[in-house]
Amino acid sequence: MSNPVTLYLPLLTHADPLVRRQATTILLTHYGNRALTYLRRLLDDPELSEQAQIALRHISEISGLRIELRPFRGVYVHCLGEFQVFIDSRMIKAEEWGQSETGRAGGRKVQGIFAYLVHCGASGAPRHEIASAVWDGEASASSFARTLTALRQVLQQVGGETLTNQLLITDRQRCVLNPDRYQSDADLLERTFELATRTVTEQGLSAAVPFFQYVLDLYDGPYMEGIAGAQRWATERAANLLSKTVIAGERLAADAFANGNDQQCIQYCQRILALEPRTAAVVSWLLRANHRLGLPMEMQRAYQRYLTATGINPRRKRDDPVVQLYHELIQ
């Protein structure tokens, strides 16, 4: 489904205020502030725009968030999880990447060039480097030119010629996406994480909690998963983005535990361990929260999952922080 919040519209516009409140809580918990962007994209849909506007007003009243009641505008690239490109409120559909006047440019290659240029950022990349990244080796000049033309046609079809000329800049040697004309969830995650860590240094962890929460909200899955050739060039950044997300979750769990919110601490831990089950710091907070709640069986399950994920033999690795903490708590 191109817009997952469509299913929430009947609940967000329900006559019962309790139903609206519950739907708002679930929606914002699951999607964070991105839910508002999803709803704003529906403001361009003639069949759903009225419902979307009512839903946004109700969310604003319930949550206290300041919400813009106008359609989403701009180019947004969803790199985390399923790769998606939005131009204004319109998503480029999977089949559209392969539709062009050339008729011979494969959709995965067309999408791959765009994804790689997003990955390269403001500096862009030489044509030979793009060919190597997307084709796993050299591509003929005609094949590359045909695929680049197909990409330009896709962007023009969805966003128009003016936007395309401003966004995709090429010459005989190099290609680049103008960073002033788009934003990506990966860039937002990195910038938000930097802001969060700076805030911790300057104001303490509690002040940084909203920023760490936004980092967690942004992470929808592995970076550039499913993009042609990405396993060769995206691995390092993918690991870095996951690492930042794990750190954000660990900080949120630590803050929740410090404030006595054990259930919330457990939720943060479980969310992060679903991504990276070997994270000792997160497992440690999970053990502490379950211990304080008096849940020895949950502690044991968490401990065993950690041992299985890491392959640690607790008899030989007594100095492991999770092994040490578990035995301290159960004693």
Side-chain angles (χ1 to χ4, degrees):
M1 179 178 293
S2 60
N3 195 326
V5 305
T6 305
L7 295 174
Y8 288 83
L9 284 177
L11 301 175
L12 294 169
T13 57
H14 199 278
D16 187 339
L18 181 58
V19 173
R20 298 199 300 265
R21 181 173 293 277
Q22 290 175 334
T24 296
T25 301
I26 294 170
L27 187 67
L28 293 179
T29 299
H30 190 70
Y31 292 105
N33 287 338
R34 285 179 297 118
L36 308 180
T37 301
Y38 281 131
L39 282 169
R40 286 177 58 201
R41 287 179 184 138
L42 294 178
L43 294 175
D44 274 337
D45 188 323
E47 295 183 2
L48 300 174
S49 60
E50 185 176 350
Q51 275 185 287
Q53 192 169 71
I54 294 171
L56 285 166
R57 286 201 181 98
H58 286 162
I59 291 174
S60 180
E61 293 169 2
I62 293 167
S63 66
L65 295 171
R66 182 178 176 275
I67 298 174
E68 294 184 74
L69 295 176
R70 59 185 179 85
F72 172 82
R73 291 292 178 260
V75 180
Y76 185 80
V77 186
H78 193 274
C79 306
L80 298 166
E82 183 183 359
F83 185 82
Q84 297 173 326
V85 178
F86 294 89
I87 298 180
D88 292 341
S89 298
R90 167 90 149 75
M91 186 185 80
I92 299 178
K93 299 176 183 177
E95 62 271 18
E96 290 177 318
W97 290 104
Q99 294 176 355
S100 70
E101 293 176 7
T102 65
R104 294 173 60 191
R108 283 176 58 78
K109 294 288 193 295
V110 176
Q111 189 186 60
I113 287 183
F114 188 88
Y116 187 68
L117 290 176
V118 170
H119 176 74
C120 292
S123 60
R127 290 182 176 230
H128 68 84
E129 182 184 305
I130 299 170
S132 177
V134 178
W135 274 264
D136 190 19
E138 294 185 4
S140 67
S142 60
S143 178
F144 185 90
R146 189 165 54 244
T147 308
L148 192 62
T149 297
L151 172 59
R152 190 173 293 276
Q153 289 173 354
V154 171
L155 296 175
Q156 287 177 345
Q157 177 183 334
V158 179
E161 186 173 358
T162 300
L163 172 66
T164 301
N165 291 337
Q166 293 173 348
L167 176 64
L168 179 59
I169 302 170
T170 63
D171 58 31
R172 297 181 66 180
Q173 301 296 325
R174 201 171 192 84
C175 303
V176 62
L177 290 179
N178 182 353
D180 294 331
R181 299 298 299 163
Y182 78 96
Q183 61 178 328
S184 75
D185 53 358
D187 289 340
L188 283 172
L189 189 152
E190 288 169 338
R191 291 199 298 269
T192 306
F193 183 83
E194 290 174 8
L195 176 60
T197 53
R198 190 164 63 246
T199 302
V200 170
T201 302
E202 297 172 354
Q203 302 177 45
L205 177 57
S206 294
V209 162
F211 304 123
F212 282 127
Q213 181 64 61
Y214 190 42
V215 169
L216 204 57
D217 290 340
L218 282 167
Y219 195 86
D220 254 1
Y223 175 66
M224 295 294 183
E225 186 177 38
I227 293 297
Q231 66 274 15
R232 295 186 298 277
W233 47 262
T235 303
E236 184 177 347
R237 193 180 187 194
N240 187 266
L241 287 162
L242 176 58
S243 175
K244 286 178 166 58
T245 304
V246 169
I247 292 170
E250 190 272 330
R251 300 288 174 85
L252 290 168
D255 180 77
F257 185 84
N259 288 298
N261 298 325
D262 296 322
Q263 289 290 354
Q264 187 178 50
C265 176
I266 290 171
Q267 289 171 6
Y268 284 133
C269 291
Q270 290 174 336
R271 187 168 173 182
I272 291 301
L273 292 174
L275 302 173
E276 178 46 87
R278 298 167 298 177
T279 310
V282 176
V283 177
S284 296
W285 288 120
L286 181 59
L287 291 175
R288 293 185 184 101
N290 279 316
H291 180 260
R292 198 155 66 181
L293 288 171
L295 301 172
M297 294 303 295
E298 291 301 319
M299 287 177 61
Q300 185 179 16
R301 291 190 188 97
Y303 180 61
Q304 290 300 327
R305 285 194 296 267
Y306 173 75
L307 295 180
T308 301
T310 58
I312 287 175
N313 183 332
R315 295 180 180 178
R316 297 181 180 177
K317 196 75 173 176
R318 295 178 183 274
D319 60 343
D320 179 84
V322 172
V323 173
Q324 286 184 330
L325 176 64
Y326 178 73
H327 288 289
E328 288 173 8
L329 293 176
I330 62 174
Q331 289 173 7

